[in-house]
């Protein structure tokens, strides 16, 4: 007579099957386990003209060094607005609706747009001159909320930029600070610049402009032996317009980053865009691994460069002092 398996042995069989499944999972390689996990989706928002903005390229390189492979561990949803700042809010909202795990921004306008679009998705910014002055964070140490990032130290570097300009053009008596007037973070920078100008016996004329037409009106007031300080701002079209007009009118101008020296700008002193992206990647990696943005203090840009365009200096009839030549990190000829 055929005997049926005892019911008492069925739990033992289930345990054997469970043990087999566990052993199979343990046998999977780390690579296979990573592939089984969903890649993090990083949304990118800036006003660039192409997806390959230097901060984004720096972010990708930095994440790769930290073990996040593009396409395997992370994917990127890049929204660049080609200088159209009025489209920023819609682009930010689209990233949130797309379900990104984190938003990476460049410049003040993009960061404000992302912040307005979500209070929960982590935001990591770059190229923000004064995050507290711009009302992006309430404080730099453990900022709270869902935003942290890398400051480009615009307020802290204002005096040094005037010093560099004065060294290159000692005859300068008045400096026009031409800035994008929508950026709130410019106000504390101007205060610092006014203090420095007084020590250097320079007259400082701050002028906020909205567009290229405003810029033309302001530059009509510039006279011989004047110069311009062009701080970093959310409107890249305005910076390009300042370069073009300063070259046409032969006006010495100091910029906030070496990027603009490649477009014909005379001299710059400030953070490197690519390096800011690399630096921010460490904050991004920490958040993707479970850290909360409110606990991660805002960092100051670590790589500060002095760059000069020798061809533009020659066009303006300027002899670049040895002091600048010895200290410069980059040249354009």
């Amino acid at each position: 007579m055929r005997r049926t398996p005892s019911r008492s042995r069925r739990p033992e069989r289930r345990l054997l099957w469970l043990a087999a499944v566990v052993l199979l999972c343990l046998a999977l390689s780390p690579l296979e386990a990573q592939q089984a996990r969903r890649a993090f989706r990083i949304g990118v928002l800036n006003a660039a003209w192409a997806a390959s903005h230097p901060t984004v390229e720096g972010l990708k390189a930095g994440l790769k060094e930290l073990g996040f492979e593009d396409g395997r561990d992370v994917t990127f949803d890049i929204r660049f607005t080609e200088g159209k700042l009025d489209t920023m809010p819609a682009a930010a909202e689209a990233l949130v609706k797309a379900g990104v795990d984190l938003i990476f921004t460049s410049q003040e306008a993009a960061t404000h747009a992302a912040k307005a679009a979500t209070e929960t998705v982590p935001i990591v910014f770059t190229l923000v001159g004064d995050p507290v002055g711009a009302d992006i964070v309430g404080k730099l140490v453990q900022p709270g909320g869902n935003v942290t990032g890398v400051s480009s130290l615009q307020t802290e570097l204002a005096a040094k930029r005037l010093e560099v300009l004065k060294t290159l053009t000692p005859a300068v008596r008045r400096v026009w600070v031409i800035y994008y007037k929508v950026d709130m973070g410019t106000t504390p920078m101007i205060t610092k610049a006014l203090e420095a100008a007084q020590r250097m016996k320079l007259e400082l004329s701050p002028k906020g402009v909205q567009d290229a037409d405003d810029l033309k009106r302001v530059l009509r007031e510039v006279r011989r032996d004047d110069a311009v300080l062009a701080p970093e701002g959310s409107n890249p079209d305005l910076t390009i317009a300042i370069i073009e007009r300063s070259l046409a009118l032969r006006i010495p101008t100091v910029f906030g980053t070496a990027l603009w020296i490649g477009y014909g700008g005379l001299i710059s002193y400030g953070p490197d865009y690519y390096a800011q992206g690399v630096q921010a990647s460490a904050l991004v990696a920490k958040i993707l691994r479970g850290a909360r943005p409110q606990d991660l203090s805002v960092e100051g840009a670590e790589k500060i460069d002095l760059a000069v365009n020798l061809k533009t200096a020659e066009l303006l009839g300027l002899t670049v002092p040895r002091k600048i030549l010895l200290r410069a990190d980059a040249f354009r000829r």
Side-chain angles (χ1 to χ4, degrees):
M1 183 175 179
R2 186 178 180 184
R3 298 178 61 185
T4 59
S6 171
R7 290 186 178 180
S8 63
R9 299 188 64 181
R10 288 178 182 173
E12 294 179 9
R13 291 183 177 180
R14 292 194 187 99
L15 288 174
L16 288 172
W17 277 107
L18 180 60
V21 170
V22 170
L23 288 172
L24 181 61
C25 290
L26 290 175
L28 287 172
S29 69
L31 179 60
E32 289 170 325
Q34 288 179 344
Q35 288 174 336
R37 185 188 65 206
R38 180 183 70 84
F40 292 108
R41 298 182 63 190
I42 298 177
V44 175
L45 182 63
N46 57 47
W49 293 284
S52 57
H53 189 271
T55 58
V56 181
E57 295 303 295
L59 171 68
K60 290 181 176 180
L63 286 175
K64 185 174 182 179
E65 285 290 320
L66 294 168
F68 290 86
E69 193 71 34
D70 188 359
R72 185 191 71 190
D73 305 300
V74 291
T75 60
F76 296 89
D77 185 347
I78 301 176
R79 311 291 174 108
F80 55 96
T81 66
E82 299 179 316
K84 301 178 182 69
L85 300 185
D86 57 339
T87 64
M88 283 282 185
E93 290 173 6
L95 286 174
V96 174
K97 289 179 181 177
V100 296
D101 298 295
L102 180 145
I103 300 177
F104 176 78
T105 64
S106 298
Q107 307 287 14
E108 185 177 316
T111 308
H112 273 299
K115 187 179 176 183
T118 178
E119 295 180 355
T120 56
V121 178
I123 298 168
V124 175
F125 63 77
T126 55
L127 311 188
V128 174
D130 192 319
V132 175
D135 196 28
I136 287 170
V137 295
K139 57 182 181 177
L140 300 179
V141 179
Q142 293 184 319
N146 62 322
V147 184
T148 188
V150 178
S151 166
S152 56
L153 304 175
Q154 184 140 262
T155 299
E156 292 83 350
L157 296 177
K160 190 64 179 179
R161 285 171 182 150
L162 288 175
E163 179 187 314
V164 166
L165 185 60
K166 183 69 174 174
T167 301
L168 181 59
T169 58
V172 165
R173 296 291 176 266
R174 178 170 59 173
V175 178
W176 298 79
V177 182
I178 301 178
Y179 60 95
Y180 184 49
K181 63 182 179 182
V182 176
D183 286 342
M184 296 185 293
T186 310
T187 302
M189 181 275 296
I190 292 173
T191 301
K192 286 291 185 183
L194 285 167
E195 294 172 358
Q198 188 174 17
R199 294 194 301 270
M200 297 178 198
K201 295 181 171 53
L202 287 171
E203 178 187 345
L204 203 72
S205 297
K207 293 289 182 179
V209 297
Q210 182 77 35
D211 51 33
D213 290 334
D214 276 355
L215 176 64
K216 288 179 183 178
R217 285 191 288 271
V218 169
L219 290 181
R220 289 193 191 106
E221 302 178 49
V222 177
R223 297 292 178 264
R224 185 179 178 84
D225 292 337
D226 287 355
V228 169
L229 168 60
E232 285 297 283
S234 295
N235 191 338
D237 287 340
L238 183 60
T239 307
I240 292 294
I242 290 175
I243 293 173
E244 292 174 348
R245 296 298 296 169
S246 66
L247 291 175
L249 299 173
R250 305 293 195 270
I251 303 170
T253 304
V254 59
F255 296 88
T257 179
L259 174 72
W260 303 118
I261 304 309
Y263 286 84
L266 173 62
I267 194 166
S268 68
Y269 184 79
D272 177 79
Y273 276 19
Y274 181 89
Q276 279 195 64
V278 173
Q279 185 177 345
S281 69
L283 294 172
V284 171
K286 288 177 182 178
I287 293 171
L288 296 183
R289 286 170 173 152
R292 303 186 308 169
Q294 58 263 45
D295 298 329
L296 300 176
S297 297
V298 174
E299 301 178 3
E302 296 173 345
K303 189 174 187 294
I304 309 297
D305 293 331
L306 172 65
V308 61
N309 190 316
L310 299 178
K311 184 176 180 180
T312 299
E314 183 180 357
L315 176 68
L316 272 58
L318 297 171
T319 300
V320 180
R322 180 176 175 81
K323 182 178 180 180
I324 288 180
L325 291 175
L326 290 175
R327 293 175 56 195
D329 301 281
F331 298 94
R332 294 286 294 189
R333 299 180 184 276

